[in-house]
Amino acid sequence: MSTLVEKIKAIEDEMAKTQKNKATSAHLGMLKAKLAKFKRELITPKSGGAATGEGFDVAKTGDARIGFVGFPSVGKSTLLSNLAGVYSEVAAYEFTTLTTVPGVIRYKGAKIQLLDLPGIIEGAKDGKGRGRQVIAVARTCKLIFIVLDVLKPLGDKAIIEKELEGFGIRLNKQPPNITFRRKEKGGINLTQVVAQSELDLDSVKQILSEYRISNADIILKEDCTCDDLIDVIEGNRIYVPCIYVLNKIDQISIEELDIIYKIPHCVPLSAHHKWNFDDLLEKMWDYLNLTRIYTKPKGQLPDFNAPVVLKEDNRTLETFCNNLHKAIMKDLKYALVWGNSVKYQPQRVGKEHVLCDEDIVQIIKKH
């Protein structure tokens, strides 16, 4: 383990010493690719008798999962207790929470699982503390709350982001618009749809040679960096929305609070006094981007108490039917839909139809 950490340190030192210019960009790209490979080896547990983190493997329940990430003693447990009514041990000393504590809240008809993860310390991505298991659970979440102490937010924010980036979690980013396809022969074929400020054929070849790839088609559809290309080649990156929760606002002035409100993706609150929880829940709902569909049995009023919740990337009628029961699709004739996704109220639709939030659906079966 120490040898890998030493190798990573050596490469980071060399990158810090290397000047950034056109002549060194290919060399820097190669160093970044090496670094990504070593980091992947570091976080992938060796097969064999590796012990799993006790209490970390929490069963997924509900429609979405949110992880609370932060340093010890920033108020994650208090926030979870007050939001979900779950008792997560709270004390004034560091490292009170040692395992994952799950809680569930119901918001706008959706059931959302909240996970209070143990405190992350600097160096978690290198296996220090229990950081490795903590971040492994964070990778399974649909949304991450980074809980920060409002008195020292920026330094802590930078460290936590660096730890999560080291684990292949990209916060509030979209996947790079790069098409990468390996092939049997023909060398490296680079197509640039837009002008590139950082990548050229030499730097791309250097990065690919680190992965022992000598034949590939690469299409860059936006201005990309070396890191973007490495992310696409590695293929194990996770793109997660994130909200920065600035806790303990009862300790600052109104003027400071006005400045903090201007930070993007950020919600200031006080977990202890339960201030500004509604703002946090509203933002959480926006970032989760869930779609609620109500069912309507024939000749009855719609059931508004128990919506079927769909993820934003798959909102077709077919997915909705499969969520209700796998056998429905076999008997489906068509469906009647009321709501924003249709022009007429109601309208007949087929299985390909894409539903909108709060649509009402009545399924008509074949007789």
Side-chain angles (χ1 to χ4, degrees):
M1 179 66 81
S2 60
T3 54
L4 262 181
V5 175
E6 282 160 16
K7 282 179 187 170
I8 287 172
K9 180 84 175 73
I11 290 175
E12 283 174 343
D13 290 346
E14 191 180 339
M15 280 168 67
K17 280 186 281 192
T18 308
Q19 280 189 326
K20 279 188 181 177
N21 55 44
K22 222 31 183 174
T24 60
S25 65
H27 178 62
L28 274 170
M30 186 192 72
L31 288 177
K32 282 178 178 173
K34 264 189 183 159
L35 193 62
K37 273 172 66 183
F38 286 144
K39 282 183 174 175
R40 186 184 63 218
E41 283 174 39
L42 189 67
I43 63 176
T44 309
K46 298 280 178 286
S47 58
T52 57
E54 273 307 307
F56 281 83
D57 314 322
V58 178
K60 254 188 176 173
T61 60
D63 302 307
R65 188 182 222 189
I66 298 175
F68 288 70
V69 177
F71 279 108
S73 297
V74 290
K76 299 194 297 296
S77 299
T78 312
L79 183 58
L80 180 78
S81 302
N82 288 339
L83 270 177
V86 176
Y87 182 69
S88 179
E89 195 172 324
V90 178
Y93 55 85
E94 301 204 329
F95 295 110
T96 323
T97 309
L98 295 173
T99 59
T100 304
V101 179
V104 174
I105 57 168
R106 281 194 168 280
Y107 187 67
K108 294 193 175 178
K111 199 171 161 193
I112 296 161
Q113 184 182 36
L114 307 176
L115 297 181
D116 178 15
L117 302 172
I120 282 187
I121 54 171
E122 197 168 354
K125 66 180 187 302
D126 306 329
K128 287 185 189 167
R130 282 191 121 176
R132 188 183 289 196
Q133 294 109 313
V134 173
I135 300 180
V137 174
R139 278 177 72 97
T140 67
C141 295
K142 182 105 170 36
L143 170 67
I144 290 177
F145 284 169
I146 293 185
V147 187
L148 302 166
D149 190 329
V150 78
L151 299 174
K152 44 175 184 182
L154 292 175
D156 289 0
K157 173 176 178 277
I159 293 167
I160 289 174
E161 281 176 344
K162 192 177 173 206
E163 298 299 318
L164 294 173
E165 289 263 323
F167 262 78
I169 296 174
R170 303 286 177 260
L171 302 173
N172 294 327
K173 284 184 185 169
Q174 291 300 318
N177 200 353
I178 298 175
T179 304
F180 169 72
R181 192 169 63 246
R182 294 182 191 224
K183 54 187 184 180
E184 294 295 313
K185 54 188 178 184
I188 297 211
N189 184 13
L190 179 66
T191 310
Q192 301 177 3
V193 178
V194 295
Q196 299 294 315
S197 57
E198 189 173 320
L199 285 172
D200 56 15
L201 191 58
D202 279 350
S203 53
V204 168
K205 280 184 174 172
Q206 283 275 32
I207 291 169
L208 291 176
S209 69
E210 254 325 295
Y211 289 95
R212 295 193 171 85
I213 298 170
S214 47
N215 300 299
D217 288 334
I218 294 161
I219 305 170
L220 306 174
K221 298 174 186 169
E222 60 187 11
D223 190 4
C224 302
T225 63
C226 294
D227 293 322
D228 290 339
L229 180 59
I230 291 164
D231 282 354
V232 170
I233 297 167
E234 285 278 339
N236 61 355
R237 305 299 190 234
I238 289 177
Y239 297 85
V240 187
C242 165
I243 295 174
Y244 302 100
V245 180
L246 295 177
N247 191 14
K248 307 183 184 177
I249 56 169
D250 47 323
Q251 298 175 12
I252 59 169
S253 67
I254 293 287
E255 290 76 23
E256 288 170 312
L257 190 57
D258 285 341
I259 295 165
I260 283 167
Y261 242 109
K262 294 189 174 81
I263 302 171
H265 313 296
C266 162
V267 178
L269 54 77
S270 168
H272 182 68
H273 295 286
K274 302 187 184 178
W275 294 348
N276 208 21
F277 276 15
D278 48 355
D279 203 8
L280 176 67
L281 291 170
E282 200 53 53
K283 201 161 198 138
M284 171 196 83
W285 184 255
D286 288 347
Y287 279 50
L288 283 174
N289 204 356
L290 297 172
T291 303
R292 293 159 296 169
I293 310 295
Y294 302 112
T295 53
K296 182 187 179 303
K298 197 171 181 183
Q300 295 176 31
L301 289 170
D303 179 7
F304 289 116
N305 295 324
V308 175
V309 179
L310 305 178
K311 312 285 186 293
E312 88 274 12
D313 50 356
N314 205 348
R315 301 190 312 224
T316 59
L317 182 69
E318 186 172 4
T319 316
F320 166 77
C321 292
N322 288 336
N323 270 22
L324 284 175
H325 197 283
K326 296 279 184 284
I328 290 179
M329 276 311 296
K330 287 206 293 281
D331 300 332
L332 178 74
K333 190 175 181 187
Y334 61 87
L336 293 173
V337 175
W338 291 258
N340 291 332
S341 69
V342 289
K343 193 173 176 184
Y344 307 105
Q345 311 291 336
Q347 185 171 324
R348 272 190 188 204
V349 298
K351 65 176 185 179
E352 304 296 327
H353 179 72
V354 177
L355 299 161
C356 289
D357 192 28
E358 297 201 282
D359 276 0
I360 297 167
V361 175
Q362 180 181 330
I363 290 166
I364 310 295
K365 292 184 176 181
K366 298 170 187 164
H367 293 301

